[in-house]
Amino acid sequence: SQAEAAVTVRGKGNIIMKLMGYKRENGTFGIRNHLLILPTSVCSSETAQRIAALVPGAVAIPHQHGCCQVGADYLQTVNTLVGFGKNPNVGAVLVVSLGCEGIQPEVVADQIRESKKPVETVIIQECGGTLGCIAKGAEIAAKMARELSVQNKVAFDISELVLGLECGGSDPTSGIAGNPSVGAASDKLIQLGGTSILSETTELIGAEHLVAARCVTKEMGDKLTAMVKRIEDKSKLYGVDLRGTQPTPGNIAGGLTTIEEKSLGCIHKAGQSPVIGVLEYSESIDPKKHGLYFMDTPGEDIDSITGMVAGGAQIILFTTGRGTPTGSPVAPVIKVTGNPETYEKMMDNIDINAGRIITEGKTPQDIGEEIFDKMVAVANGELTKAEVLGHKEFGIYRIGDTF
């Protein structure tokens, strides 16, 4: 298998996984080599999409933000866009701007250049409009694509892999089968020196004390608990009841009854490893600190995945009981379901059937090994079902108003 072929042994029983990927100038490694067409605002999103459509292998990330944002909300959008540009799976970036929006192109481009990858900008208002910008952008992007096409893969240690952990469309099988299996795979990655990111602050409510107790310092635990309280306080400020969104109607129809029940299943994705870092949304992991992190993201799947990819995740494990097609523009998303009926209904979307824990007596450790092998294969180039179907969902978590 690809996993077995990638194993080398160093010392007594010390197994080191070697993967094949693209080495970046800043020392990180990508498992994909995307050309990112990055709009700074909603005003340039359509133009960015049209440029990407003209260049094979290019991917755009249209969004509705980038103008009339202030304070922390403005910074969060900037950090998310920059984080996507810096992600190791991105080989080069073309920043597309209208010219007069709140997030100016060089603010984004200059920060992405810190990663030492090729970055260029085009501005619609300086190109004579949409058609001129598309022509100039496509010319620049085509040159970048040619340069990326001749880059060769090199071997790198699996300790350089950053895994994002997500769940969506959960049902009781998520906590019973899907999430514990992913937790086993995450623990194995961390034991080999890699990194995982647990997300979805809303889905820690009622179980936050269990995750906080796993933090390596009291300060980290207090920070995580404060993030959960922040979500609860926001709900109270708006005068709304989280029930109906957490759990969602689909969660309830699937058999989950309370947010606490959902949370107790959700945290199984994190396995048993200690929490070594607590991150704000889209905050970059510390490249020198490998292990399990928690990131403050919403329960909404797409915004949550976006935050982790902006933070450096090159690959996502996504558990779903009810089924979902969600992907990501630059990071492969591996779908795992604990529900054998969902696997049969959505085989076009689901990569791993963890429901065999229920139907065949498999253990989470058994399925965790299968998930880990799939991660290695995907990291070495195998396409996930979400990639094959062209799913590139992208959404930035808003924390303020547009003025």
Side-chain angles (χ1 to χ4, degrees):
S1 70
Q2 290 191 51
E4 291 169 344
V7 174
T8 58
V9 178
R10 184 178 67 194
K12 287 188 176 180
N14 188 5
I15 298 175
I16 303 301
M17 284 280 187
K18 290 291 184 182
L19 304 177
M20 298 297 293
Y22 301 93
K23 185 173 183 179
R24 307 305 179 195
E25 290 295 322
N26 64 353
T28 61
F29 293 86
I31 61 173
R32 297 293 186 266
N33 203 24
H34 291 294
L35 167 57
L36 181 63
I37 313 299
L38 194 161
T40 56
S41 72
V42 62
C43 303
S44 56
S45 285
E46 180 63 29
T47 302
Q49 285 183 282
R50 295 191 188 186
I51 293 170
L54 293 171
V55 182
V59 60
I61 50 171
H63 58 92
Q64 67 184 72
H65 312 302
C67 202
C68 301
Q69 294 178 266
V70 296
D73 191 53
Y74 164 88
L75 290 175
Q76 180 146 297
T77 297
V78 170
N79 291 340
T80 304
L81 296 176
V82 169
F84 252 67
K86 286 185 172 182
N87 188 283
N89 289 350
V90 172
V93 183
L94 175 64
V95 177
V96 183
S97 168
L98 173 60
C100 62
E101 61 265 81
I103 298 179
Q104 287 290 290
E106 289 306 320
V107 170
V108 173
D110 285 348
Q111 292 185 62
I112 296 173
R113 288 189 185 104
E114 293 172 2
S115 65
K116 301 179 182 179
K117 65 184 63 175
V119 183
E120 299 289 345
T121 63
V122 287
I123 300 173
I124 297 170
Q125 291 171 347
E126 296 181 5
C127 292
T130 299
L131 295 179
C133 188
I134 291 171
K136 182 176 180 181
E139 181 182 359
I140 295 170
K143 181 175 182 294
M144 287 177 157
R146 289 193 298 271
E147 292 170 351
L148 291 180
S149 72
V150 298
Q151 291 181 358
N152 295 317
K153 287 185 174 182
V154 300
F156 71 97
D157 196 275
I158 199 168
S159 62
E160 300 293 338
L161 196 64
V162 180
L163 169 67
L165 304 170
E166 184 68 25
C167 60
S170 300
D171 68 8
T173 70
S174 297
I176 293 169
N179 291 344
S181 300
V182 163
S186 173
D187 280 342
K188 182 169 182 177
L189 175 64
I190 290 170
Q191 288 163 9
L192 290 168
T195 296
S196 293
I197 306 174
L198 177 67
S199 62
E200 301 176 287
T201 308
T202 318
E203 297 179 20
L204 258 60
I205 294 174
E208 66 270 27
H209 61 293
L210 299 175
V211 182
R214 289 165 56 182
C215 291
V216 294
T217 67
K218 182 178 183 302
E219 290 74 18
M220 282 185 193
D222 290 345
K223 183 178 179 181
L224 184 148
T225 303
M227 287 175 171
V228 175
K229 185 176 185 301
R230 189 163 63 191
I231 289 290
E232 293 175 320
D233 289 346
K234 184 182 290 188
S235 171
K236 293 174 184 177
L237 177 65
Y238 292 159
V240 297
D241 192 332
L242 284 176
R243 289 170 295 186
T245 62
Q246 297 294 342
T248 66
N251 297 151
I252 295 168
L256 294 174
T257 61
T258 65
I259 183 60
E260 292 84 1
E261 186 178 30
K262 184 177 180 180
S263 296
L264 288 168
C266 175
I267 64 175
H268 281 300
K269 298 195 306 294
Q272 303 297 319
S273 300
V275 178
I276 64 158
V278 177
L279 306 171
E280 297 291 344
Y281 183 84
S282 75
E283 182 181 351
S284 296
I285 64 162
D286 184 342
K288 297 180 181 178
K289 287 179 60 179
H290 296 210
L292 177 64
Y293 287 80
F294 174 76
M295 179 179 285
D296 182 19
T297 76
E300 201 279 329
D301 307 334
I302 297 166
D303 288 5
S304 181
I305 291 174
T306 296
M308 291 188 287
V309 173
Q314 304 121 308
I315 191 168
I316 305 292
L317 285 181
F318 190 137
T319 64
T320 177
R322 305 276 292 175
T324 175
T326 301
S328 170
V330 302
V333 178
I334 300 171
K335 291 289 173 43
V336 179
T337 185
N339 190 324
E341 293 182 359
T342 297
Y343 182 74
E344 293 299 324
K345 290 177 181 177
M346 298 187 67
M347 290 183 69
D348 287 348
N349 301 101
I350 308 297
D351 299 281
I352 300 286
N353 178 15
R356 287 176 295 140
I357 291 171
I358 299 168
T359 60
E360 300 176 13
K362 298 286 186 179
T363 68
Q365 197 63 41
D366 293 334
I367 304 298
E369 289 290 335
E370 182 179 335
I371 293 170
F372 185 85
D373 286 347
K374 175 64 75 171
M375 285 170 50
V376 171
V378 169
N380 279 325
E382 179 182 309
L383 296 179
T384 67
K385 291 184 178 180
E387 287 181 294
V388 169
L389 293 172
H391 280 283
K392 299 180 176 69
E393 287 81 1
F394 175 83
I396 301 174
Y397 180 36
R398 290 295 303 271
I399 55 174
D401 296 316
T402 298
F403 289 90

